[in-house]
Amino acid sequence: METFVHVLDLIGTFVFAISGAVAAVNRRLDIFGTLVLSFVAGNFGGVARDLVIGAVPPAALTDGRYLLVSVLAGLITFFWYAGVDRLRSPVLLFDAAGLSLFAVAGAQKALGFGLNPVMAALLGMLTGIGGGIARDVLLAEIPQVLRSDLYAVAALTGAAVVVIGKMLDLSYGVSALAGAALCFGLRFMAIRHHWNLPV
Amino acid sequence: METFVHVLDLIGTFVFAISGAVAAVNRRLDIFGTLVLSFVAGNFGGVARDLVIGAVPPAALTDGRYLLVSVLAGLITFFWYAGVDRLRSPVLLFDAAGLSLFAVAGAQKALGFGLNPVMAALLGMLTGIGGGIARDVLLAEIPQVLRSDLYAVAALTGAAVVVIGKMLDLSYGVSALAGAALCFGLRFMAIRHHWNLPV
Amino acid sequence: METFVHVLDLIGTFVFAISGAVAAVNRRLDIFGTLVLSFVAGNFGGVARDLVIGAVPPAALTDGRYLLVSVLAGLITFFWYAGVDRLRSPVLLFDAAGLSLFAVAGAQKALGFGLNPVMAALLGMLTGIGGGIARDVLLAEIPQVLRSDLYAVAALTGAAVVVIGKMLDLSYGVSALAGAALCFGLRFMAIRHHWNLPV
């Protein structure tokens, strides 16, 4: 189980890193800027969460695999941009999977550091959306996450399921699975049917 | 006294949150993005201060009332935007009040964590202006705080009064009142007479 | 040696602060906004590093000389902008010197806090480029550092030399000197010959 979650976490980092690299290449950053955006998009959510709960240094900086996976995603995108671009809709699905897992894992970690339930759910959401926000801020754009397709709401829902599960004394495995599935489902439906929040 | 200060602090958060929500609605963010901007504008200054002085997790994340007040401000603004907009000049006054209190309380907290006087005054200022800076950065704009109407200078002055009071062994109540009044007065005059710093 | 390094560190802060002030004056911020940009450009890299490694409060906030030097750079730039502008190419050289020193000192500090070698090198780089990134984000621009002239790569190279030196048990003085010289040399050549990374 532990290993399975860790693998999913790295997949999430990889997919978010690709979103950062694609945005960087579109704005014509050089290869180095592209790698920075990859790392930021893949890891900033977790780093921000770790800073506010006091878990320093953040896991993304002590476990080298996060860096490795981010750099790999950046290099692949930079050198095979056409290929990555053609995979746009599978990438969206992976991105939804990454979001689900980050939200769930982030909420769990915040609970473990003793935050109250509401804040733990919000920090789960922050873990999921933080990377995308930092990516867009570095590109001098209003974060897409704040304007589209139930993105943050899906993350918050997934995180909330974990928190509620904890309050009901359910096992983490069950509530994480349920939370991630709900987040993924919401995001999938939002993409497919262009669901949006009122403006 | 304690309760009174806390109530003022929550009022400050509320008013700053309204400024975030108004900016978000103007840029056509959806309801969720609006709530995020409300929370960020109302709380980022205090969160940034708490991070650099090592007070983690920040108070804004452990005391649920800050979240409650921010969400409330966001919802009111989102659904009664016309009403809030009509209140523009009372909002400016509340905003000046929020700034005064944040600056004073921020300086006091930094002193309590052992920072030197000059830095404590600057962190008081950061507490007051941080939310507005983060709000504008998320909207991809140059922070207004950095360009207008003695805003940050008023905050710095109020915070400095608290720090000087501490060095003179005055009671916190007296110096906080004096600092907040001075900050509020400066900001009020700057708004009324369009005082600006040299460019 | 200790004193010498400290003096260089303050020179680096001063030069970076000038880059912040020049950018602020160009965007017509008022004097206060200019001083904020000076401080941010001169110190944000070190502050961000200290936050993620858990060295709070950050040195830039506890040692008043960093503030003093930053404010001085801001005032000089604000009141003698024409003079500073004429010094553009010496400033670029000082900036390269500042970058070299920040990268080297940042990597050393991260090693001292027990980070792994790869991350220590990256944090050295972050120390060097963080101020420029924050400066540009506050001005709602895509950070120049991410798009030009081997800037970040030079910082990373210098930081890596320190980390490798540490792994080979060389004395810090030797590896710091070698790292700083390499970073400075790379940056100097990149400016002179317009070397860029592939886009």
Side-chain angles (χ1 to χ4, degrees), chain A residues 59-192:
Chain A
L61 302 190
T62 51
D63 179 341
R65 285 172 295 185
Y66 291 97
L67 175 66
L68 194 72
V69 155
S70 305
V71 166
L72 204 67
L75 290 176
I76 291 174
T77 306
F78 192 81
F79 290 109
W80 292 280
Y81 181 75
V84 172
D85 200 49
R86 214 172 314 124
L87 295 175
R88 196 174 284 266
S89 56
V91 164
L92 268 180
L93 289 190
F94 274 107
D95 180 81
L99 183 71
S100 307
L101 191 93
F102 276 21
V104 160
Q108 176 70 8
K109 185 159 186 182
L111 284 173
F113 274 74
L115 271 83
N116 67 54
V118 175
M119 274 304 159
L122 286 168
L123 283 175
M125 180 189 77
L126 174 68
T127 310
I129 70 178
I133 289 181
R135 175 197 66 208
D136 294 348
V137 164
L138 283 179
L139 294 173
E141 288 169 8
I142 299 180
Q144 274 185 18
V145 168
L146 300 181
R147 38 187 7 170
S148 68
D149 293 345
L150 291 180
Y151 198 91
V153 171
L156 183 56
T157 308
V161 168
V162 169
V163 171
I164 293 170
K166 168 89 172 193
M167 293 166 74
L168 300 176
D169 269 330
L170 299 180
S171 90
Y172 173 55
V174 171
S175 59
L177 208 67
L182 189 56
C183 172
F184 184 84
L186 262 175
R187 182 73 188 122
F188 181 78
M189 298 300 281
I191 294 171
R192 169 143 281 190

Side-chain angles (χ1 to χ4, degrees), chain C:
Chain C
M1 183 68 198
E2 187 60 35
T3 315
F4 178 65
V5 166
H6 200 79
V7 167
L8 283 182
D9 203 22
L10 288 170
I11 293 178
T13 304
F14 182 80
V15 180
F16 279 149
I18 284 186
S19 84
V22 166
V25 170
N26 281 334
R27 303 298 296 258
R28 304 194 56 73
L29 297 200
D30 63 28
I31 186 167
F32 183 82
T34 303
L35 293 179
V36 170
L37 263 281
S38 304
F39 185 77
V40 166
N43 296 282
F44 186 82
V47 169
R49 177 204 58 211
D50 287 354
L51 283 183
V52 295
I53 65 178
V56 287
L61 303 190
T62 51
D63 180 341
R65 286 172 294 185
Y66 291 96
L67 175 66
L68 194 72
V69 155
S70 306
V71 166
L72 204 67
L75 290 176
I76 291 173
T77 307
F78 192 82
F79 289 109
W80 291 280
Y81 180 75
V84 172
D85 200 49
R86 214 173 313 124
L87 295 175
R88 197 174 282 266
S89 55
V91 164
L92 268 181
L93 289 191
F94 273 106
D95 180 80
L99 182 72
S100 307
L101 191 93
F102 276 21
V104 160
Q108 176 70 6
K109 185 160 186 180
L111 284 172
F113 274 74
L115 269 83
N116 67 54
V118 176
M119 274 303 160
L122 286 168
L123 283 175
M125 180 189 79
L126 174 67
T127 309
I129 71 177
I133 290 182
R135 175 197 67 208
D136 294 348
V137 164
L138 283 179
L139 294 173
E141 287 169 9
I142 299 181
Q144 274 185 18
V145 168
L146 300 181
R147 35 187 9 169
S148 68
D149 293 346
L150 290 181
Y151 198 92
V153 170
L156 183 56
T157 308
V161 168
V162 170
V163 171
I164 293 169
K166 167 88 173 194
M167 292 167 74
L168 300 176
D169 269 330
L170 299 181
S171 91
Y172 173 56
V174 171
S175 60
L177 208 67
L182 189 57
C183 172
F184 185 84
L186 263 174
R187 182 73 188 122
F188 180 79
M189 297 300 281
I191 293 170
R192 169 145 279 191
H193 301 292
H194 297 291
W195 285 351
N196 272 295
L197 288 177
V199 174

Side-chain angles (χ1 to χ4, degrees), chain A residues 51-54 115-116 118-119 122-123 125 129 133 137 140-143 145-148 152-153 156 197-199, chain B residues 27-34 36-37 39 47 51 56-58 60-64 67 78-79 137-140:
Chain A
L51 283 183
V52 294
I53 65 178
L115 271 83
N116 67 54
V118 175
M119 274 304 159
L122 286 168
L123 283 175
M125 180 189 77
I129 70 178
I133 289 181
V137 164
E141 288 169 8
I142 299 180
V145 168
L146 300 181
R147 38 187 7 170
S148 68
V153 171
L156 183 56
L197 289 176
V199 174
Chain B
R27 302 298 296 257
R28 305 194 58 72
L29 298 200
D30 63 26
I31 185 168
F32 183 82
T34 302
V36 170
L37 264 280
F39 185 77
V47 168
L51 283 183
V56 288
L61 302 189
T62 50
D63 180 341
L67 175 66
F78 192 80
F79 289 110
V137 164
L138 283 179
L139 295 173

